[in-house]
């Protein structure tokens, strides 16, 4: 009895942890509880309303404007978040959980009033731009105060502390207690408050706009999908397909966490959703408690780097990097996939080391050849299905160019009804008790068939994004509409096909799941919306003070200008800044401070890093804070399920996540991993090579390959992995990638460059900030189409060169947004020494870098041969 009571207490504590970090742990009863649920429901309905065409239709019908523009939508969005934060999250540990105290009502009303003030007074605010009234200052002050309180209660102290440090820097940046190297003149109270609250440079900036226009709908889509039963379906399918393999439950945990992470915005929620089921099953087949929890943490946190949602960071990258959403998905998909495959391999190695077996599977045992053929059949089925979806839907677009939407609706209904009819032939899935004795796994075929229709709204989402090329927000809207339709009709249709009657009861269950999903989606968004608002304080501080330049100079000073040391420091700073922050706020903070540092210091070292690579670099290290002790919240959640020590779980999870730590360094130097400027066939080649390399890296760090590694074998495996990832490193030692040409010939080189090619130039000159300091930077200058004279091509790109006595002197660029204008901000064009081009870098003709694969593969063959002699355990 005591063990059952302890288990119940542990489950209650776990639910409390998730609620306190994601949805709010206060659940009042009676009318107040109904009001709280109703408020969350209205928020979801409001977000669906502004995403649809309904406002435009109503405006035409009613002849009054009921359309919310972007600024107004942000204000209403934050108003809902602040009020729900006050009602859902207790302010103090001893605050009541079953009712809302009076002071939270006051805070909610103040927060809503301060947000809606921007809508009511929008005309007057625009008229007095930059000249705040006393009312403006009062509203801004109370608004920021309520936002900071909401941040504390929904996200904890870390983000409050970070935001407070930035606020202190804004007002007291010129005080003696601020180190002289980062001092600035400071801002007046009126200027700062106007900047933070009354315009779109601070709280109501890009981050909150992305939260209101895109993130909410994707979080809502994920919540509705889970309430519809897809979460349980994904877990069951993963176990049916993988549970019989060595360490099968752990492999199934990785796959189910990957599928859940596709739509989840929270590492902790992902850990608990799948971990409640997977961690006990991992322990059941022999995984120690720490390792079981660590596998779940590593796979759940990895869900935040997996497109399409990436913990909402994908949508923020669209705004911050200036690329399309599909570009973000394309660049992020390969590293995330490789990371998950490597984690599956790590689990396999752990199972080999411990001699684990899988769970019993129904039916006769299959030979190795049969397993291989089955796997190939599975992959071929997936490929054929994907091809049918892509080309089939593309065919409808060609045949019905003016009626594609109607054709899609008909096709959607036909496929959906057919798949529900198929599912109705099998009993509905029930979640297995993970603490029960070992039982036979469910049959893969029937399990797969019971929920194939859950993929239909996901197909709608992908179709709208990739074929129709709709915006992410509008794509999520239509996918959500499709999902709501499925929730309302799946049970009645099953009852119809099974001839079981009770259609009204089936419809009521579907309607209840929709309402629950809408409420849960809004409550899941509280922390994200508050986080994007609070992170706006940091972004606003940076735009007001130029703090990112100060941070860059500080890290440059610590690294001594060494590129690798700088990357390590940026990684450590990103990890520290990310501690305790949710994924969205984490990305905003680390990218605002760290991204420019990598670009600038890289350029000074001659490394031209694409901006998307830099943002992914800092993002990867920011989310590792969810794993790493002492603040790794996902590790604490997993430890609460496994009964293990949370610090040991976090350390083990970080060890398993070394592959995720290594990837950002690799794609900074080898942008092929991000599929930048590669063809489709090259992408396949890069994927295969990088996957093999990452598996070898995993084998080297885990101490086991075909047998337990000797020390030299582990080193050899890491060396082979590095060579496969970056063969260009060895080639650069043999022959430099560029040779320098006379800068006086810059005009001739500009004229000879092919169309749309760029020219690498090295610029040197006096610093505008520091006397007696010389700045050096390398950048790629685009030249546009060929045909014009060299001087004209340079001037068209805002690079003004005067060659005198062999010196290519530069004049100050006219356009701050041009490439030279943005790259040469730190140069003094009016000093005694000229700003000049000191070299033109031209690619060197070299052998193919892939030549270095040959010695690496020969060394790999040697390691495999020696290890196979020491073991008789099959590798798979």
């Amino acid at each position: 009895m005591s063990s059952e009571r302890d288990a119940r207490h542990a489950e209650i504590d776990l639910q409390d942890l998730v609620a306190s970090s994601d949805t709010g742990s206060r659940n009042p009863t009676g009318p107040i509880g109904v009001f709280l649920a109703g408020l969350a429901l209205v928020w979801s309905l409001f977000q669906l309303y502004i995403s649809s065409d309904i406002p435009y239709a109503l405006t035409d019908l009613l002849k009054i404007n009921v359309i919310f523009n972007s600024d107004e939508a942000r204000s209403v969005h934050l108003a809902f978040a602040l009020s729900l934060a006050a009602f859902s999250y207790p302010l103090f540990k001893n605050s009541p959980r079953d009712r809302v105290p009076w002071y939270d009502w006051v805070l909610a009303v103040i927060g809503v009033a301060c947000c809606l003030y921007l809508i009511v007074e929008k005309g007057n605010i625009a008229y007095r731009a930059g000249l705040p009234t006393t009312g403006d200052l009062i509203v801004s002050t109370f608004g920021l105060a309520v936002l900071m309180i909401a941040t504390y209660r929904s996200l904890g102290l870390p983000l409050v502390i970070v935001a407070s440090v930035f606020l202190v820097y804004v007002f007291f940046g010129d005080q003696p207690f601020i180190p002289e190297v980062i001092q600035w003149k400071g801002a007046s109270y009126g200027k700062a408050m106007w900047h933070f609250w009354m315009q779109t440079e601070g709280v109501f900036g890009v981050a909150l706009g992305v939260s209101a226009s895109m993130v909410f709908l994707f979080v809502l889509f994920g919540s509705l999908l889970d309430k519809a039963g897809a979460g349980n379906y994904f877990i069951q399918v993963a176990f049916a397909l993988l549970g019989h393999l060595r360490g099968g439950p752990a492999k199934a945990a990785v796959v189910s966490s990957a599928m859940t992470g596709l739509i989840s915005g929270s590492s902790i929620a992902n850990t608990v959703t799948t971990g409640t089921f997977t961690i006990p099953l991992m322990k059941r087949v022999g995984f120690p408690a720490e390792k079981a929890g660590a596998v779940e943490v590593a796979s759940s946190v990895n869900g935040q780097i997996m497109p399409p949602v990436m913990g909402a960071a994908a949508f923020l990258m669209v705004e911050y990097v200036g690329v399309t959403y599909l570009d973000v998905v394309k660049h992020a998909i390969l590293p995330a996939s490789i990371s998950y495959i490597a984690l599956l391999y790590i689990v396999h190695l752990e199972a080999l080391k411990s001699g684990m077996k899988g769970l019993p599977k129904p039916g006769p045992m299959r030979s190795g050849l049969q397993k291989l053929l089955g796997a190939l059949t599975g992959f071929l089925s997936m490929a054929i299905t994907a091809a049918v979806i892509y080309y089939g839907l593309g065919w409808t677009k060609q045949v019905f160019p003016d009626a594609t939407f109607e054709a899609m609706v008909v096709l959607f209904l036909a496929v959906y009804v057919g798949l529900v009819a198929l599912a109705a032939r099998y009993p509905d899935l029930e979640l297995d008790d993970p603490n029960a004795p070992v039982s036979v796994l469910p049959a893969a075929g029937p399990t797969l068939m019971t929920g194939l229709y859950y993929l239909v709204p996901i197909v709608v989402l992908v179709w709208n994004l990739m074929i129709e090329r709709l915006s992410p927000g509008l794509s999520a809207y239509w996918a959500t509409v499709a999902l709501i339709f499925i929730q309302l009709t799946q049970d009645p249709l099953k009852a119809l096909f099974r001839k079981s009657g009770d259609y009204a009861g089936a419809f009521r269950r579907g309607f209840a799941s929709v309402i629950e999903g809408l409420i849960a989606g809004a409550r899941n968004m509280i922390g994200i919306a508050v986080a994007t608002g609070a992170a706006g304080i940091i972004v606003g501080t940076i735009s007001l003070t130029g703090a990112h330049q100060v941070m860059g100079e500080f890290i440059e000073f610590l690294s001594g200008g060494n590129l690798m040391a700088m990357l390590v420091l940026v990684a450590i700073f990103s990890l520290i800044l990310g501690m305790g922050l949710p994924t969205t706020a984490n990305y905003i903070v680390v990218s605002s401070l760290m991204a420019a540092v990598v670009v600038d210091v890289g350029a000074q070292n001659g490394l031209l890093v694409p901006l998307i690579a830099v943002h992914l670099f800092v993002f990867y290290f920011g989310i590792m804070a969810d794993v790493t002790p002492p603040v790794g919240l996902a590790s604490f959640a997993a430890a609460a399920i496994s009964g293990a020590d949370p610090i040991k779980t976090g350390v083990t999870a970080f060890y398993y996540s070394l592959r995720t730590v290594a990837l950002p360094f690799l794609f900074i130097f080898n942008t092929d991993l991000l599929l930048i400027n590669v063809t489709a066939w090259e992408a396949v080649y890069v994927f295969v090579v990088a996957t093999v390399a990452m598996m070898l890296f995993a084998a080297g760090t885990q101490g086991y390959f075909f047998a337990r590694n000797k020390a030299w074998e582990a080193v050899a495996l890491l060396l082979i992995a590095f060579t496969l990832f970056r063969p260009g490193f060895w080639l650069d030692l043999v022959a430099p990638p560029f040779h320098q040409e006379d800068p006086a010939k810059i005009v001739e080189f500009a004229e000879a460059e092919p169309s749309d090619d760029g020219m690498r130039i090295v610029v040197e000159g006096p610093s505008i900030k520091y006397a007696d300091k010389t700045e050096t930077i390398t950048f790629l200058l685009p030249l546009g189409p060929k045909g014009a004279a060299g001087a004209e091509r340079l001037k068209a790109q805002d690079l003004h060169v005067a060659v005198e006595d062999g010196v290519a002197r530069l004049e100050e660029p006219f356009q701050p947004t041009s490439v030279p204008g943005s790259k040469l901000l730190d140069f003094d064009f009016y000093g005694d020494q000229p700003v000049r081009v000191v070299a033109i870098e031209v690619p060197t003709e070299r052998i193919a870098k892939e030549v270095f694969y040959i010695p690496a593969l020969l060394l790999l063959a040697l390691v495999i041969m020696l290890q196979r002699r020491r073991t008789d355990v099959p590798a798979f």
Side-chain angles (χ1 to χ4, degrees):
M1 287 296 290
S2 62
S3 62
E4 290 180 10
R5 188 165 55 250
D6 291 342
R8 283 197 301 271
H9 284 315
E11 184 176 350
I12 292 171
D13 292 342
L14 183 62
Q15 292 170 350
D16 226 19
L17 172 64
V18 178
S20 63
S21 62
D22 278 332
T23 61
S25 55
R26 180 183 285 149
N27 282 297
T29 56
I32 303 302
V34 174
F35 171 77
L36 179 57
L39 188 62
L41 177 62
V42 171
W43 190 13
S44 289
L45 293 176
F46 169 77
Q47 294 291 155
L48 289 172
Y49 170 80
I50 63 174
S51 301
S52 69
D53 291 330
I54 295 174
Y56 302 96
L58 286 178
T59 297
D60 292 339
L61 180 66
L62 302 175
K63 304 304 180 184
I64 58 173
N65 183 21
V66 290
I67 299 171
F68 289 82
N69 63 33
S70 175
D71 293 348
E72 293 167 344
R74 296 178 194 188
S75 298
V76 176
H77 184 75
L78 187 59
F80 273 113
L82 293 179
S83 58
L84 281 169
F87 295 143
S88 302
Y89 292 86
L91 184 55
F92 307 107
K93 285 186 177 180
N94 58 355
S95 295
R97 304 296 178 92
D98 57 348
R99 61 185 177 85
V100 180
W102 65 269
Y103 52 83
D104 282 339
W105 286 99
V106 173
L107 288 172
V109 170
I110 292 174
V112 171
C114 292
C115 291
L116 298 187
Y117 177 85
L118 299 177
I119 298 177
V120 175
E121 287 287 305
K122 63 179 180 180
N124 295 328
I125 291 172
Y127 178 74
R128 58 175 181 265
L131 300 171
T133 63
T134 302
D136 293 341
L137 294 180
I138 291 172
V139 166
S140 301
T141 302
F142 276 98
L144 280 179
V146 172
L147 176 60
M148 295 289 271
I149 293 170
T151 302
Y152 164 71
R153 68 201 307 165
S154 60
L155 302 170
L157 273 177
L159 185 54
V160 176
I161 293 172
V162 173
S164 299
V165 168
F166 278 83
L167 284 174
V168 168
Y169 182 64
V170 166
F171 294 115
F172 305 104
D174 57 347
Q175 297 301 308
F177 64 84
I178 301 289
E180 186 175 351
V181 69
I182 63 172
Q183 283 185 3
W184 84 297
K185 63 179 181 179
S188 68
Y189 189 76
K191 180 180 180 180
M193 288 297 102
W194 182 274
H195 188 80
F196 284 127
W197 194 265
M198 304 305 293
Q199 59 180 10
T200 56
E201 295 290 331
V203 172
F204 297 95
V206 170
L208 189 66
V210 172
S211 176
S213 63
M214 301 185 207
V215 177
F216 191 104
L217 289 171
F218 275 86
V219 171
L220 180 61
F221 179 74
S223 177
L224 288 167
L225 200 58
D226 182 58
K227 294 297 181 182
N232 178 34
Y233 173 72
F234 289 155
I235 294 173
Q236 295 278 34
V237 167
F239 271 87
L241 294 176
L242 300 174
H244 64 287
L245 303 174
R246 286 182 185 273
K251 292 174 181 174
V254 174
V255 173
S256 57
S257 294
M259 290 190 289
T260 305
L262 289 175
I263 56 175
S264 170
S266 167
S267 301
I268 301 165
N270 197 4
T271 300
V272 173
T273 300
T274 56
T276 303
F277 185 70
T278 59
I279 290 175
L281 283 172
M282 283 189 266
K283 293 172 65 178
R284 192 195 293 178
V285 295
F287 273 84
E290 283 84 5
K291 289 186 177 181
V295 168
E296 181 58 49
V297 170
S299 56
S300 294
V301 171
N302 251 42
Q304 305 303 287
I305 66 174
M306 176 66 79
V309 178
M310 295 170 63
F315 314 113
L316 290 162
M317 286 183 192
V318 170
E319 300 294 331
Y320 289 162
V321 182
V323 296
T324 67
Y325 173 75
L326 288 178
D327 283 335
V328 173
V329 171
K330 181 184 79 172
H331 297 319
I333 188 68
L334 190 61
S337 301
I338 292 169
S339 187
Y340 263 117
I341 293 171
L343 183 58
L344 277 172
Y345 187 58
I346 287 172
V347 167
H348 181 72
L349 293 176
E350 289 287 355
L352 282 174
K353 284 192 285 187
S354 304
M356 297 179 193
K357 303 293 183 184
L359 294 176
K361 185 178 181 180
M365 295 298 292
R366 298 188 301 170
S367 68
L369 179 60
Q370 288 174 321
K371 289 180 182 179
L372 178 61
L373 290 175
L376 289 175
T377 303
F379 281 117
L380 286 174
S381 301
M382 292 174 62
I384 292 169
T385 303
V388 168
I389 290 171
Y390 183 83
Y391 292 107
L393 298 181
W395 169 79
T396 61
K397 191 172 180 65
Q398 293 174 359
V399 174
F400 306 107
D402 298 325
T404 306
F405 179 81
E406 291 79 1
M408 276 297 301
V409 170
V410 172
L411 186 60
F412 163 79
L413 290 173
V415 172
Y416 166 60
V417 172
L419 290 177
V420 173
L422 183 64
R425 300 178 184 177
Y426 303 93
D428 292 335
L429 293 179
E430 293 184 5
L431 194 62
D432 182 31
D433 179 6
N435 296 303
V438 176
S439 58
V440 175
L441 287 168
T447 303
L448 187 64
M449 296 302 174
T450 56
L452 280 177
Y453 60 88
Y454 290 130
L455 301 179
V456 173
I458 298 175
V459 171
V460 171
L461 176 64
V462 173
W463 161 260
N464 285 323
L465 284 170
M466 301 191 69
I467 308 299
E468 293 290 342
R469 297 298 178 105
L470 300 181
S471 69
L474 192 56
S475 300
Y477 167 76
W478 284 116
T480 302
V481 170
L483 182 54
I484 290 174
F485 175 78
I486 287 174
Q487 284 182 273
L488 292 174
T489 58
Q490 61 175 341
D491 287 340
L493 282 175
K494 285 181 181 178
L496 175 65
F497 290 122
R498 291 169 178 168
K499 300 179 181 179
S500 60
D502 192 22
Y503 302 115
F507 181 80
R508 282 195 297 271
R509 288 194 299 274
F511 184 78
S513 76
V514 171
I515 299 299
E516 290 172 6
L518 292 171
I519 293 171
R523 296 194 68 163
N524 287 337
M525 268 301 299
I526 298 171
I528 296 175
V530 170
T532 52
I537 297 173
I538 298 162
V539 176
T541 300
I542 292 168
S543 64
L544 186 63
T545 66
H548 63 287
Q549 294 177 341
V550 175
M551 182 62 72
E553 290 163 4
F554 179 60
I555 290 183
E556 185 182 354
F557 168 75
L558 291 179
S559 65
N562 181 275
L563 182 59
M564 186 54 68
M566 180 272 298
L567 288 173
V568 171
L569 285 171
V570 169
I572 293 171
F573 270 82
S574 299
L575 191 63
I576 294 171
L577 287 169
M579 285 186 176
L581 302 187
T583 305
T584 312
N586 181 331
Y587 168 67
I588 296 169
V589 173
V590 297
S591 64
S592 299
L593 282 174
M594 300 284 108
V597 177
V598 180
V599 173
D600 292 343
V601 178
Q604 292 169 18
N605 285 266
L607 177 67
L608 306 183
V609 187
L611 195 55
I612 185 67
V614 176
H615 279 255
L616 287 172
F617 180 91
V618 297
F619 175 60
Y620 268 53
F621 281 101
I623 64 165
M624 288 306 297
D626 280 343
V627 177
T628 313
V631 194
L633 297 179
S635 297
F636 278 85
I641 301 171
S642 67
D645 179 80
I647 301 298
K648 290 182 179 178
T649 300
V651 171
T652 307
F654 184 80
Y655 186 54
Y656 288 161
S657 299
L658 285 176
R659 73 208 188 286
T660 309
V661 172
L663 272 171
F665 287 98
L666 294 167
F667 61 59
I668 283 286
F669 292 100
N670 182 6
T671 56
D672 288 353
L673 292 171
L674 301 180
L675 303 183
I676 295 176
N677 298 325
V678 298
T679 64
W681 287 111
E682 288 171 340
V684 173
Y685 167 75
V686 169
F687 173 73
V688 172
V689 173
T691 301
V692 172
M694 187 52 73
M695 293 173 73
L696 293 175
F697 177 84
T701 55
Q702 296 302 309
Y704 196 98
F705 189 28
F706 286 84
R708 293 190 182 276
N709 295 333
K710 295 180 179 179
W712 77 267
E713 291 173 337
V715 173
L717 288 172
L718 294 176
L719 185 63
I720 296 164
F722 176 76
T723 302
L724 294 178
F725 269 123
R726 196 174 172 235
F729 174 82
W730 306 111
L731 182 57
D732 290 347
L733 296 179
V734 176
F738 301 98
H739 64 272
Q740 297 188 339
E741 294 285 349
D742 183 1
K745 297 180 180 179
I746 184 170
V747 175
E748 289 88 335
F749 275 98
E751 188 166 342
E753 283 292 336
S755 293
D756 299 319
D757 269 17
M759 182 168 59
R760 286 175 61 103
I761 62 175
V762 184
V763 176
E764 184 180 278
S767 171
I768 199 170
K769 296 180 181 178
Y770 307 104
D772 303 325
K773 180 182 177 182
T774 300
E775 299 277 0
T776 303
I777 188 172
T778 303
F779 66 92
L780 187 67
L781 180 72
L783 290 174
K786 189 176 180 180
E792 295 302 320
R793 294 182 80 181
L794 294 173
K795 285 182 181 179
Q797 300 301 324
D798 200 24
L799 191 75
H800 308 279
V801 186
V803 180
E804 298 175 359
D805 300 326
V807 176
R809 179 170 181 157
L810 294 181
E811 298 176 8
E812 185 175 15
F814 295 129
Q815 303 169 21
T817 57
S818 66
V819 172
S822 61
K823 299 295 184 183
L824 304 178
L825 287 172
D826 295 336
F827 288 84
D828 182 4
F829 288 87
Y830 304 100
D832 295 333
Q833 298 297 320
V835 177
R836 59 198 179 95
V837 178
V838 293
I840 301 166
E841 293 192 338
V842 179
T844 305
E845 291 187 10
R846 306 186 296 174
I847 60 173
K849 60 185 179 182
E850 288 77 14
V851 167
F852 291 91
Y853 288 165
I854 297 173
L857 293 176
L858 290 174
L859 181 58
L860 176 61
L862 176 63
V863 172
I864 292 174
M865 182 182 68
L866 294 175
Q867 290 205 355
R868 288 299 297 268
R869 290 180 177 180
R870 301 203 304 268
T871 182
D872 56 359
V873 178
F876 294 95

